[in-house]
Amino acid sequence: MKIATWNVNSVKARLETVTAWLKDAAPDVVALQEIKSTDDTFPRGAFEDLGYNCAVHGQKTYNGVAILSKRPLEDITPRLPGGSGDDHARYIEAVVTGDHGVVRIASIYAPNGNPLGTEKFPYKLAWLERLHTRAAEILSYEEPAVLMGDYNVIPTDDDCHDPLVWMNDALFQPQSKAALRRIENLGYQDAFRACDSRPHRYTFWDYQAGSWQKDHGIRIDFQILTPQALDRLKTCIIDKRVRGWDKPSDHVPVVSEIDI
DNA sequence: ATGCCGACAGGATGTCGA
């Protein structure tokens, strides 16, 4: 099963790009983030025409996540437990059945957390703590699961061009890195890192300052796998071609092949 | 550079992203 995650930075502004990529890459399951669309205005028809079922947790203007799947989506849960009063649409979970069993899928859009010194940074850390709690529950199911999306954390110096540039950014704070590590340390593995140890492989390049042309990117989009999913992982790649297409998102897809 | 680009809501330009 080909499983992908992609922060599309508005599904409506990106519809042609996204459908072109779906036709080219033909993933079985895709987790989308930053759809910037409500459930009502999500362009379901365009994806259904390509053979995808849609589970959407949308919001006007900001955030918004979805899961597209060629197989039926079951047990759809459009929320992360906890966080009373948190109305950001940043999490949706569902279960997909493949030829060799089931896989639990989560589409994750973690808060950015900038600027430091505002309430945004503690919100980010609290949100990642809620994700930690849910990740522990999912791990206890002892089943294949892929928790994927835009974590808004740069895990190591090797995941950016120049660490000094990011020193005062929420994505690179020790607390942010620790929050991601704490989730992984439950027993999850970063699928891309399990397949490719080369440094300076990025999933995001800012629209500004010629970041793409200079390859000044960051790696902040991940698929983290339970042991049962990792056992079946065949490949994981970053599809950076897409950043060079017309009207690109600032993020590119991360794509795994998992034997499910 | 508190910039640079791009999407959004709204109908100008401020907010947000990373």
Side-chain angles (χ1 to χ4, degrees):
Chain A
M1 194 179 274
K2 199 170 185 179
I3 298 177
T5 182
W6 192 8
N7 178 325
V8 293
N9 184 18
S10 172
V11 72
K12 280 172 278 186
R14 209 71 57 215
L15 190 55
E16 280 190 41
T17 310
V18 173
T19 52
W21 183 78
L22 290 174
K23 288 175 190 168
D24 179 83
D28 297 287
V29 177
V30 188
L32 301 178
Q33 300 88 36
E34 277 207 88
I35 60 174
K36 297 185 177 179
S37 157
T38 60
D39 295 7
D40 289 346
T41 58
F42 187 81
R44 237 168 228 286
F47 299 124
E48 288 170 350
D49 288 348
L50 296 175
Y52 290 96
N53 302 289
C54 305
V56 183
H57 184 203
Q59 178 182 340
K60 187 178 165 76
T61 312
Y62 303 117
N63 312 316
V65 287
I67 301 172
L68 313 181
S69 172
K70 291 189 172 176
R71 307 273 186 139
L73 289 157
E74 301 168 278
D75 296 339
I76 297 167
T77 310
R79 73 187 70 85
L80 188 60
S84 58
D86 180 9
D87 57 354
H88 291 200
R90 297 183 176 275
Y91 187 89
I92 188 169
E93 191 180 306
V95 173
V96 177
T97 303
D99 290 332
H100 308 110
V102 300
V103 58
R104 185 173 298 271
I105 299 290
S107 182
I108 290 164
Y109 179 47
N112 173 303
N114 282 307
L116 295 176
T118 69
E119 74 291 345
K120 289 174 185 290
F121 189 57
Y123 169 68
K124 172 188 189 130
L125 297 178
W127 197 93
L128 288 170
E129 182 58 31
R130 286 166 59 201
L131 182 60
H132 178 272
T133 300
R134 181 61 190 146
E137 288 172 357
I138 291 172
L139 198 69
S140 76
Y141 303 158
E142 299 188 344
E143 288 178 349
V146 182
L147 312 189
M148 56 184 162
D150 177 357
Y151 282 76
N152 266 318
V153 175
I154 303 168
T156 75
D157 288 5
D158 284 346
D159 298 305
C160 62
H161 168 256
D162 180 3
L164 287 177
V165 169
W166 297 96
M167 287 300 287
N168 294 313
D169 194 287
L171 280 64
F172 203 57
Q173 293 309 295
Q175 300 100 308
S176 304
K177 299 177 195 173
L180 174 62
R181 265 200 317 275
R182 238 165 71 69
I183 295 170
E184 291 178 338
N185 287 345
L186 289 166
Y188 287 87
Q189 288 253 8
D190 178 333
F192 180 73
R193 275 296 173 237
C195 295
D196 192 332
S197 60
R198 295 174 296 175
H200 309 300
R201 304 292 135 167
Y202 308 131
T203 64
F204 168 94
W205 295 260
D206 200 298
Y207 290 119
Q208 304 181 71
S211 298
W212 167 244
Q213 290 75 10
K214 292 187 280 193
D215 198 26
H216 290 183
I218 50 179
R219 193 174 73 91
I220 56 174
D221 301 86
F222 318 113
Q223 300 183 338
I224 68 167
L225 274 51
T226 61
Q228 293 79 12
L230 184 71
D231 287 346
R232 303 172 186 214
L233 176 65
K234 302 302 178 193
T235 63
C236 182
I237 61 107
I238 297 170
D239 195 351
K240 66 184 283 188
R241 297 174 304 152
V242 183
R243 188 61 177 81
W245 291 5
D246 285 341
K247 287 207 54 169
S249 171
D250 37 9
H251 298 250
V252 296
V254 179
V255 188
S256 284
E257 184 74 41
I258 303 180
D259 187 19
I260 293 167

